């Protein structure tokens, strides 16, 4: 659980940057366990903040759900006379701007560093670039919509089955290319 704590993001990312820059990352027996632990922590954290690293349709689907939760919390805080938490006020949060910031400041730097160790992260990095552009192109329009009270989540089609949760099955020897296997529906 502590690995998903956003307050530790930059500290852990900086540790990874420092370790990846050495010739003995994941090689030196004296630091191997620490390196593995750091990687595992950051992989758990990357999963926690990975929505922007998905296909655009799936990313928008989950962003809409997260923002509904945020804005509902902001509305409850306002009803109780409490200060509304950052990014949880529908009236003052430019969705596009907040997503661009989330990608640029948190998600892309982490995935870019992970890609140096796990080349398979090139795929989420490609999605991040596409999704960053998607939102960047909408910042000004969504600012006007926010100010007029008409801001809505953009639609990008319904997520397809192949966009859904996936497991990456990789041979230990990094043999054949990645094989993506859809998860089975736990309900049936």
């Amino acid at each position: 659980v502590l690995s998903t704590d956003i307050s530790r993001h930059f500290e852990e990312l900086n540790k990874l940057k420092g370790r990846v820059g050495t010739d003995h990352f994941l090689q030196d027996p004296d630091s191997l366990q620490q390196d593995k632990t750091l990687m595992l922590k950051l992989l758990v954290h990357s999963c926690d903040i990975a929505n922007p690293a998905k296909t655009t349709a799936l990313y928008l689907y989950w962003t809409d759900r997260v923002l509904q939760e945020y804005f509902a919390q902001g509305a409850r805080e306002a009803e109780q006379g409490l200060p509304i938490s950052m990014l949880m006020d529908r009236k003052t949060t430019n969705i596009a701007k907040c997503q661009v910031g989330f990608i640029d400041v948190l998600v892309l730097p982490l995935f870019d560093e992970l890609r140096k160790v796990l080349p398979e992260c090139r795929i989420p990095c490609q999605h991040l670039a596409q999704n960053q552009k998607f939102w960047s192109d909408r910042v000004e329009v969504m600012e006007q919509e926010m100010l007029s009270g008409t801001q809505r989540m953009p639609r990008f089609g319904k997520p397809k089955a192949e966009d859904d949760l996936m497991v990456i099955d990789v041979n230990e020897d990094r043999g054949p290319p990645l094989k993506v296997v859809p998860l089975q529906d736990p309900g049936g």
Side-chain angles (χ1 to χ4, degrees), residues 8-17 38 41-42:
R8 301 187 56 136
H9 174 89
F10 294 106
E11 174 188 345
E12 297 295 330
L13 178 56
N14 286 333
K15 281 183 193 174
L16 181 63
K17 286 179 178 182
L38 177 62
K41 284 180 182 180
L42 285 168

Side-chain angles (χ1 to χ4, degrees), residues 89-157:
D89 188 344
R90 178 183 312 277
K91 296 174 186 168
T92 62
T93 299
N94 178 325
I95 296 168
K97 191 183 292 184
C98 112
Q99 292 303 305
V100 169
F102 185 50
I103 292 169
D104 287 349
V105 174
L106 296 171
V107 187
L108 184 55
L110 175 58
F111 275 84
D112 199 37
E113 202 62 33
L114 289 172
R115 182 175 53 175
K116 294 175 184 173
V117 181
L118 302 168
E120 294 86 356
C121 283
R122 74 186 180 288
I123 296 167
C125 287
Q126 290 168 355
H127 292 234
L128 284 163
Q130 292 165 350
N131 292 328
Q132 198 276 358
K133 181 176 179 352
F134 176 88
W135 286 115
S136 291
D137 291 347
R138 288 163 176 76
V139 169
E140 294 305 318
V141 169
M142 293 189 88
E143 182 72 18
Q144 293 308 312
E145 291 175 354
M146 180 196 70
L147 294 172
S148 67
T150 62
Q151 180 177 228
R152 300 283 179 267
M153 277 293 294
R155 296 291 171 222
F156 195 79

Side-chain angles (χ1 to χ4, degrees), residues 56-75:
T56 303
L58 191 57
Y59 169 39
L60 291 178
Y61 174 81
W62 284 108
T63 300
D64 186 42
R65 289 178 163 232
V66 168
L67 289 174
Q68 285 178 30
E69 181 181 324
Y70 278 18
F71 293 156
Q73 177 178 328

Side-chain angles (χ1 to χ4, degrees), residues 26-62:
L26 291 171
Q27 304 294 321
D28 182 4
D30 294 334
S31 59
L32 184 60
Q33 189 57 47
Q34 289 175 323
D35 290 346
K36 285 181 178 180
T37 300
L38 177 62
M39 281 299 296
L40 289 173
K41 284 180 182 180
L42 285 168
L43 288 171
V44 168
H45 177 54
S46 71
C47 292
D48 188 48
I49 64 171
N51 277 344
K54 297 176 173 139
T55 62
T56 303
L58 191 57
Y59 169 39
L60 291 178
Y61 174 81
W62 284 108

